[in-house]
Structure formats: structure tokens, C-alpha cells
Amino acid sequence: QLVESGGSLVQPGGSLRLSCAASGFTLSSHWMYWVRQASGKGLVWVSRINSDGSRTGYADAVKGRFTISRDNANNMFYLQMNSLRAEDTAVYYCARDILSSSSAWGQGTLVTVSS
Amino acid sequence: QSALTQPRSVSGSPGQSVTMSCTGSSSDVGAYSSGSWFQQHPGKAPKLMIYDVSKRPSGVPDRFSGSKSGNTASLTISGLQAEDEADYYCCSYAGSETLVFGGGTKVTVL
């Protein structure tokens, strides 16, 4: 099971950290992802991190502003979001192994960037 | 990182087959065998339906099938059922630790 938290209303230019708590499996064995979905729009890949945190990737739209990280010891992983913009407003999903049979998704957390 | 191209909608009657495409490029869909398809019902999290282009996870009915030709992946639903009405998204690895999703296809069961 994956449970996201940390979504809220934030002003443009502000920061937010999303968390994803994993249970029922060993986080350290899996690639982890963040995917977002604006209201009424499609899925957009945001970031991914490999099992030991040594490899990360970011969508161009968030590169330099967002940072993905993980704490395998506590079965948690994170998305630090800085310099937030209105276009970052979306439901953010954490997911496991998007490209393999063990794919699993959380229920999402809403981030709203507005003044 | 341009989104993969999917038709906005497809429709069919119960029992019919529908096929939706997912067109990318030689840098994503055409380059890797790691394509996935996800089903999403309104207000719900996405669910994996196909991975590695044509493999089904356990629990997914065998009326869902995937294929690829060149830079285009396809998802076919055979024997369409009412519960198949949903949005479907393709996803591909795009190199350099990046992924890309398609814009989504809405399947309507008439």
C-alpha cells in the first residue's frame, strides 16, 4: 500500500514536501515514481528514483525545482517541490514500478498553487 | 519530453472489440520494450493493465492485449464490457531516466 501526504494550498513561489508511506512491501527493492494529474487532464510523469537512490530522473517541467528522495529504512519517499507555479496544481500520485508487473499506485494528494 | 499521441476517444458496443493507438518516436516507444498501459476510472488511481508491451499482470482479464509496431503501441479490448468504460493511458521509457505518458483515450461502451 502507498499513502501520499503533504498536499495543500500554497502560494506561487512557495515550497511543499510530499511524502509517500509504503507498507506491506520492502521499499528498498523498488523503483519509485511521482506522477501528477491536473483536474480533467491526463497523467504526467514527474520524477523517478531507483532502489538505492543513486539514480534519479525528472520531467523538464520540474527539473531544477523538484527533488525526489527516499528513506528506505523508514519505508518513505518524498518529493520536495520549490518555486511552485500555478501550473504545478494537480493531484500527485506516488507509484511503484510503473513499467513492471509489480506496479502499484497511491490514491493521490492534491497540491494547489494559488494566491 | 513530448507526450505520446493517443486518440481522444474510442467507442464500441458490448461484446465488440476496440483498439487504441499510442504513437511516439524512435526515442521512446520505438526504442524500448518497456511500454505499459493503465486504466483509470473517474476519481480513482490508475491500474496497470499491460506491461512490457504485451504482458498482462495477474488478475487482468485476457481480453486486454497489447502490441507494438515501430513507434506505435496498441491496446485492444476484446469482448467489451460495461466496466471497461474508463480512460486509458500508455506509458513508455524515454531514455536518460525519463518516462512519458500518452494524453489518454476515453473508452465509451455504447
Side-chain angles (χ1 to χ4, degrees):
Chain A
Q1 185 182 9
L2 294 166
V3 179
E4 304 92 339
S5 61
S8 69
L9 172 65
V10 60
Q11 291 190 337
S15 297
L16 209 55
R17 188 175 85 154
L18 304 183
S19 300
C20 181
S23 61
F25 68 96
T26 303
L27 188 70
S28 59
S29 300
H30 299 272
W31 283 81
M32 300 301 295
Y33 298 77
W34 289 99
V35 176
R36 68 186 183 186
Q37 186 171 36
S39 180
K41 302 296 185 181
L43 300 174
V44 176
W45 173 74
V46 174
S47 182
R48 80 169 190 169
I49 186 168
N50 73 332
S51 56
D52 66 6
S54 61
R55 291 159 60 185
T56 59
Y58 298 92
D60 288 344
V62 307
K63 198 175 296 182
R65 299 188 298 125
F66 290 11
T67 302
I68 192 171
S69 62
R70 64 193 299 157
D71 178 358
N72 287 339
N74 290 299
N75 258 20
M76 296 287 295
F77 89 112
Y78 307 97
L79 185 69
Q80 177 66 43
M81 304 186 295
N82 299 330
S83 303
L84 283 162
R85 306 166 180 167
E87 54 264 36
D88 296 319
T89 295
V91 172
Y92 283 72
Y93 293 100
C94 66
R96 179 188 80 186
D97 296 335
I98 282 182
L99 299 174
S100 74
S101 62
S102 57
S103 176
W105 294 62
Q107 288 304 305
T109 186
L110 177 62
V111 172
T112 303
V113 184
S114 175
S115 55
Chain B
Q1 295 176 356
S2 300
L4 306 175
T5 300
Q6 296 183 241
R8 286 199 174 227
S9 64
V10 297
S11 61
S13 300
Q16 288 187 330
S17 293
V18 295
T19 297
M20 65 201 82
S21 60
C22 169
T23 301
S25 71
S26 58
S27 299
D28 39 61
V29 175
Y32 304 98
S33 59
S34 56
S36 298
W37 287 90
F38 296 89
Q39 175 192 68
Q40 187 181 34
H41 288 107
K44 301 294 187 182
K47 174 188 175 184
L48 179 70
M49 305 304 285
I50 295 288
Y51 70 100
D52 287 353
V53 174
S54 60
K55 297 177 182 176
R56 274 187 314 277
S58 62
V60 172
D62 60 6
R63 52 203 181 76
F64 288 87
S65 62
S67 63
K68 188 180 82 168
S69 177
N71 298 335
T72 299
S74 298
L75 175 70
T76 297
I77 309 173
S78 306
L80 199 61
Q81 298 184 6
E83 60 262 34
D84 299 333
E85 185 161 295
D87 294 322
Y88 291 81
Y89 296 90
C90 59
C91 180
S92 173
Y93 183 66
S96 300
E97 308 297 353
T98 66
L99 273 70
V100 61
F101 278 94
T105 297
K106 181 176 179 59
V107 171
T108 301
V109 181
L110 301 171

